[in-house]
Amino acid sequence: MKKITSGVLIMVLSSSIAVANAQQKKSDTVRTQDIEGVVVTALGIKREKKSLGYATQEVKGDAVNKNPTTNFLNNLSGKVAGLEIKQSTNFGGSINVVTRGYKSLLGDNQALFVVDGVPILNKNINTANQATGGGGYDYGSSVADINPNDIETLNVLKGAAATALYGSRAQNGAIIITTKRGKKNKEGIGMEFSSSITMSTVDRSTFPKYQTQYGQGYTGNSFSSALYQGSPRVVFGNDASYGSAYDSSMVWQYGAFIPGSPTEGQRTPWQIAKNGPIKFFNTGTNYVNTLSFSGGDEKATYRLSYANTDATDIMPNSSLIKNNFSGNASYKLTDKLTANFYANYVTQKTVGRNTTGYNDNIMTNFRQWWPTNVDINDLRNLYMGSYKNYTWNMKSITDLTPAFWDNPYFQRYQNYQNDSRDRFAGNFSLNYDVTKDINLLFRMGRDGYTMITEDRKAVGSYIGNDFGLNGTVDQPSGYATSQYKFSETNYDFIGTYKKNITDDFNINALLGGNINVQKVYSNQQSTSGGLYIPGIYTIANSASSPVRPLISDVSKYVYGAFAQISLGYKNTYYLEGTYRRDQSTALPENDAVYWYPSLSASVVFSNLINAKWLNFGKIRAAYAEVGSDTQADQLLNRYFSQPSYGDIPVYAYNTTLRNFELRSQSLKNIEFGIEARMFKNRLGFDVAWFRNKAFDQILPLPVSFANGAIAKTQNAGELTTKGFEVSINATPIKTSNFSWDLNLNWSNPWTKVTALSPGIENITMGRSQGGVSINAPLNGDYGSIWTSDYVRDSNGQPIVGANGAYLVTDTPTYNQGSFQAKWTAGLNNTISYKNFSLSFLIDWKKGGKVYSLDQFYGYGTGVYPDSVGINDLGNPIRNTLANGGGVILPGVMQDPNNPGSYIPNTIRLDKSQSSQVLGTDLPGAAFVYDASFIKLREVSITYRFDKDFFNSKFIQGMSVSLIGNNLWIMHKNLPYSDPEAGLSSGNIQGYQSGPMPATRNISFNVKVNF
């Protein structure tokens, strides 16, 4: 497919470009119904937007498919008010999608995705260890399987009133995707082809900048106390840069003792490496080619499409290949009965995802524990010449095994992972018009996929990293594989009634039922004790008896019945109510049923005001209650399989007690809004205020150890979220040939913990390395980051101890703020001149906190520029105190003449050795940063050729685009990293440990209509 891309690019670039006729513009005089239009709402029902009493926001398909990425959700950043999209820097990684803040303390907060009226899966198989920074892989969001070129429109339903008909599935909001359909075509079969190439390079502002004055070591000295053949020898086990100053003297470094090394048996100059870790990264590529066919006649329409994605990451030995086949058809069986079909089959194979968190993560090595004298090109040559794990971090001159860190090239080419996913989603519906007013719909939809993951640890790897299922012993090598099967099936039967009772009064009503079936299966296996034969990666090749497989197979059924009635009067006054009953097998039989209503209203006040400048105006209000259940297998206690003791099977009782007295969770939502269009539709706005109260949450709460467990699943807790949403659309300039369109989206949802169970003051959402935890404290902010802090005097000044270092609190329970943003905004500008268009998007996040484990460890290992410099005496701060080194930290010290009182600090802190050696580390609070950023998220230049330009019946039109994505982080406060980078999607945000650098992406795209 790459050749197709190249061929089309050559064709386009070699074509002569002429100025085409200006596109025809619609008149500014627009009727109210044209302004608002028709949108797709819950259950795939089309409604006039003016009649809705709740907030929705639509994004056209062109806005999400023009920028080719491996996940179309990246293209939603900044485009919808109240929708927070947190992009990932992980290869094929997951995207965090949250609407209007958080509704669940520990459960799922991701929005529901619906394609053509049927919910689809967006499962994340990342482990709890990976989510808290302990190591693992980010396997991505399965919703990324959607081909963006198939999307016609995307409508975001934000509040509970908008999603109430979906029941418990959509309390977090819903993203309604409508796919492109075939159309009647007199000219025969219509064909669309698009081809794009994207080049990705590291954004250096998100990668470490190293100090250049000192090399490997911890104690200010890089060399062994004993000379080797009369010259100094580096202590290779030290994985820090707090050693001797560079002086170009000839010393023995690691390459001198590695067979086949160009410097074997030779001394080399003690100096900064010529090639730092930035040279480790490649230029990533992403080729995307799509082809679709469509057509139809009076009775039938169809559309078939194929998309191929062939991507590589900036990491060596990485690839992602995806093939997406989709099709839909509509056939009119009779004048009253229509059948609709939709099918989507996706295969994806990924090799070499980057490790996240701390364990076995190359980026952790580069960001936290790197010796600046090590040349990355030398490591590449050592591996490529031997295919062995020859590393700078060997144990000794006679033991070349790694002390802590593998050669990064050995790790990428030998210890890589791979995974594959096969997915089928489809639905079938029959639509029967009983009369012109009554319609019956039956729909069956299924979405399911199988995913297989494989993980390798080659013979010769560093033994200390966790691997496999048997975490109680070190694994010198190994193989692990997992199989996951997810499926969801929905059966819908809906009857609708639409009637204009009089010229002024109309009614829309529906009555329906839904059966939802969810099934989850997993099978995890691994070797134990290493590989018996090197290089053979099978479970049977286990050196010891393999760990017994961990198998889970659970299912859940939800039976729903619902009704809705909508009343309209004089196209001005609208009132709508819904009611739904659900029965879930995940809840106890006596409490399995739960009911919930919604009520919304709107008034089109522009019909009541005689103002020529006002084209449309509406006020709206909505109230809704939504019930929800929990995941399967939360009712009965049971035993779980554990790693065997020799050949003896071991089982353990669940550490979190189940509860057969659970009841449904609930959420109450209220919102008010006003929207208007004015000045011939040149200016418009939509403003909403909302409040959510999510209560009776199902949580594992701490219990006494006397129960034989650490927690019990209970109903407790309440989250309250309040906020505003603002969307502004404007056309400051508009002529026959030129227009400037502007769109601003802004929102500030904020979630607080307003209730917990009696006696519980805090829920710990996750604990991570560095003494950090993410929390939900009672009467506090959801997602609060707790660390150790400075000990302060009564005036808030940090107190310095006798060694010149800050005193640190005994407990890491000091609140440093929440990871939630104070507000987010997106400003999109589109400037069009004839057939040219230029658009650019500014994405802005204000506030929120993020903890950096990289900076925490980097402070002690001396890799960053702030570890060197000149002090107030004019001397290098890394000199010993006797030689005038060290620094005086701002703060106070105890007054030696007046105990209990404090005076300005005058004690000099020793900086000649690592703080980890001296015990002078800063508290965790020093490494919590403001996560604000301003990004030039997207820039695109497009030229559209009219079909007259080609003078051909075959080519109906063509466009070429040059697109830049993540081009410039205009402002950030977090050093050497992207504040947006995280471990994965989910509730544990605000923590970084070895994240991948962000990339700048440049794409060239061609689209041709035939």
Side-chain angles (χ1 to χ4, degrees), residues 45 241 267 537 585 602 615 687 691 782 907 968:
I45 299 169
S241 288
R267 295 177 302 161
Y537 295 99
T585 60
S602 63
N615 300 101
V687 179
R691 185 191 68 193
Y782 182 79
I907 304 174
W968 179 23

Side-chain angles (χ1 to χ4, degrees), residues 14 185 240 330 419 611 706 803 873:
S14 61
N185 192 347
S330 176
D419 57 83
N803 60 356
L873 301 177

